[in-house]
Amino acid sequence: MEHLGSGKSTLIKLILKEEEPTSGNIIINGKDTTYLKPSRVPYLRRSMGVVFQDFRLLPDKTVYDNVAYAMYIVRATGRHIRRQVPMVLSLVGLSQKAKMYPNELSGGEQQRVALARALVNNPSMLIADEPTRKLRPRNSVGYYDPS
Ligand SMILES: Nc1ncnc2c1ncn2[C@@H]1O[C@H](COP(=O)(O)OP(=O)(O)OP(=O)(O)O)[C@@H](O)[C@H]1O
Ligand SMILES: [Mg+2]
C-alpha cells in the first residue's frame, strides 16, 4: 500500500484496538478481537512490536530510558533490562547515543530508537509503519519501497 492516505496507519490502529471498525471484524491469529475484553487489550498490544509513523518516543526520557521503559511496563527484571537494552541499541547502531534525548537525534535515529523499543520484548510480530521513509537508502537495503 504505497499511496498516501490509503489507510496504512489506520490499519495498524485497528489491529491494536486503538480504533474500532465501523463495520467488519479484525481477526488476529484466528481470534476475532471485536469481543476482546478491555482488560485483555494491553496483552494484545504487548504481543506486537510496533514502530509508529510518528515514533511516539517519550521526549523527556533518554534513548536508553525510552527502550528500558518498554521493558519496565511489562515488569521485566532490572537485570534483564540492563542486559537487553544495550543489546538492542547496538543492533540498531545507537550504542553511542544512549544518553541523548529524542529531540537531539535525526529523524532516522529517532526511528531506530522506535525500532529498538519495538524489538526489545521479543514480540511474536513486528509491525512498522513507513519503515524506510526516514532512512538513508543504504539503511533500507532489503526492503522494496516503491514510493
Ligand atoms: N481520526 C481520523 N478521523 C477521520 N479521518 C481520519 C482520521 N485519521 C485518518 N483519517 C483519514 O483516513 C484516511 C487514511 O489515513 P491513514 O493515516 O490511515 O493513511 P496512511 O495510509 O497511513 O497515510 P500516510 O501514507 O500519509 O501515512 C485519510 O484520508 C485520513 O484523512
Ligand atoms: Mg500513515
Side-chain angles (χ1 to χ4, degrees):
M1 280 192 272
E2 71 267 35
H3 297 292
L4 302 186
S6 62
K8 302 176 294 291
S9 298
T10 301
L11 176 64
I12 292 169
K13 289 175 188 162
L14 286 165
I15 291 170
L16 297 173
K17 253 179 127 54
E18 291 184 357
E19 296 270 7
E20 294 297 329
T22 43
S23 67
N25 302 58
I26 309 290
I27 296 162
I28 298 171
N29 288 335
K31 283 203 176 153
D32 191 333
T33 65
T34 313
Y35 311 105
L36 197 70
K37 284 193 203 136
S39 64
R40 301 297 303 172
V41 171
Y43 295 94
L44 170 77
R45 293 180 182 161
R46 284 171 203 167
S47 69
M48 292 176 244
V50 185
V51 181
F52 293 97
Q53 185 164 2
D54 55 3
F55 312 140
R56 300 194 189 176
L57 299 176
L58 302 165
D60 48 9
K61 286 190 189 296
T62 63
V63 167
Y64 184 97
D65 287 337
N66 263 276
V67 179
Y69 189 67
M71 296 190 75
Y72 171 78
I73 59 172
V74 299
R75 301 202 175 95
T77 63
R79 186 193 156 127
H80 192 203
I81 293 174
R82 286 189 297 274
R83 192 178 52 206
Q84 198 74 358
V85 176
M87 202 174 79
V88 286
L89 287 181
S90 154
L91 187 69
V92 300
L94 288 178
S95 302
Q96 305 307 313
K97 310 228 160 167
K99 290 184 178 156
M100 295 179 80
Y101 288 85
N103 69 359
E104 298 174 312
L105 303 177
S106 74
E109 288 167 341
Q110 290 175 25
Q111 187 172 47
R112 284 188 274 144
V113 179
L115 179 61
R117 183 181 58 182
L119 291 171
V120 77
N121 289 320
N122 286 318
S124 52
M125 198 188 314
L126 176 69
I127 302 175
D129 199 352
E130 308 283 359
T132 59
R133 197 184 266 178
K134 289 240 169 155
L135 296 184
R136 295 173 201 157
R138 218 187 81 141
N139 285 346
S140 64
V141 170
Y143 290 98
Y144 167 63
D145 188 349
S147 62

